[in-house]
Each structure stands twice: as structure tokens, then as C-alpha cells.
Amino acid sequence: MTASAAEQLRKEGNELFKCGDYEGALTAYTQALGLGATPQDQAILHRNRAACHLKLEDYDKAETEASKAIEKDGGDVKALYRRSQALEKLGRLDQAVLDLQRCVSLEPKNKVFQEALRNIGGQIQEKVHE
């Protein structure tokens, strides 16, 4: 029974997120986590919460949530990508690069990951020359 309730809340959260209600989505995902979701679902909920925090520009929390998702599922490219975005915003470019390299190795054809890696590479070069 609990799985379907958690599933319902997750869908509700997704709808709220699409509408731009990131606070509301965050609440729904948090409630879903409280219902004892499976590890796989927990990973999804944590990475969804990371997406909310990114939108709300709370990058520390975004990084924490993405890391929780990655602990549950090391091959979660969405979580890795979201963590790299948070790390980039926090100025931790070296760590962001590591996450992006993992994304690229997991999905070599993904243009978004390739592009992000190039951008961060450029930022690191600029820092070296400052």
C-alpha cells in the first residue's frame, strides 16, 4: 500500500515541478520519502529534490540531495549531472568535472553532458590564467 501512496506523491511532485511550484514539489517528494520508498525510488526522490533545490538556487542542499541519490544508485546519471550543476555553482569545479566525466562515460553520446564538460573545462582554464 505504501509504495502506491509514495508513487502518487512523486507524480504529484512532478506535476508541481512542471508548473514551477518547486517548494510544493519539494514537500511532495519529502512526504513520499517518509513513506518508506524502495532504495530505487529513494534515489529518484532524492534526485528530484536536488532538481528543486537547483531551481530554488539552494546549491548546498542540491549537492547533498544528489549525493544521497548517488549513494543509493551510483549509475544515476541524472543525479550525477544535477550534482555537477550544484558543484559548479558552488565553485567546486574540479569535483563537478569528475561527476560530468562519469556522466559522459555512462552516456557517451549525450550532447548535454559533453557540452557541460566543455564549459567547465573552459572555466577551469580561465581560473588557471587569472
Side-chain angles (χ1 to χ4, degrees):
M1 187 65 208
T2 49
S4 56
E7 183 63 25
Q8 209 45 53
L9 278 164
R10 183 162 72 93
K11 285 187 176 143
E12 200 176 294
N14 292 351
E15 287 307 313
L16 290 165
F17 187 88
K18 279 186 202 127
C19 298
D21 181 358
Y22 306 121
E23 296 279 2
L26 202 51
T27 303
Y29 297 142
T30 305
Q31 286 174 333
L33 271 172
L35 292 173
T38 64
Q40 192 60 47
D41 282 344
Q42 284 174 20
I44 293 167
L45 289 163
H46 281 302
R47 80 169 184 227
N48 287 0
R49 281 173 51 161
C52 294
H53 288 306
L54 282 172
K55 293 286 189 190
L56 295 164
E57 298 182 4
D58 192 339
Y59 302 117
D60 279 314
K61 282 186 181 159
E63 192 250 337
T64 303
E65 288 297 329
S67 294
K68 284 181 183 171
I70 294 158
E71 276 166 30
K72 302 254 184 279
D73 177 5
D76 187 334
V77 283
K78 282 188 182 172
L80 284 162
Y81 182 61
R82 285 174 193 161
R83 186 167 73 178
S84 77
Q85 290 177 297
L87 289 166
E88 182 184 352
K89 294 287 190 189
L90 293 166
R92 289 154 61 188
L93 299 181
D94 295 354
Q95 288 171 284
V97 164
L98 293 176
D99 280 349
L100 281 171
Q101 285 169 340
R102 269 177 80 187
C103 288
V104 171
S105 68
L106 289 161
E107 286 186 18
K109 291 186 174 66
N110 189 315
K111 294 274 186 285
V112 174
F113 299 157
Q114 292 169 10
E115 189 61 29
L117 196 52
R118 263 200 303 278
N119 286 340
I120 284 200
Q123 286 181 50
I124 289 174
Q125 289 307 127
E126 283 166 27
K127 269 205 158 49
V128 170
H129 295 296
E130 270 172 14

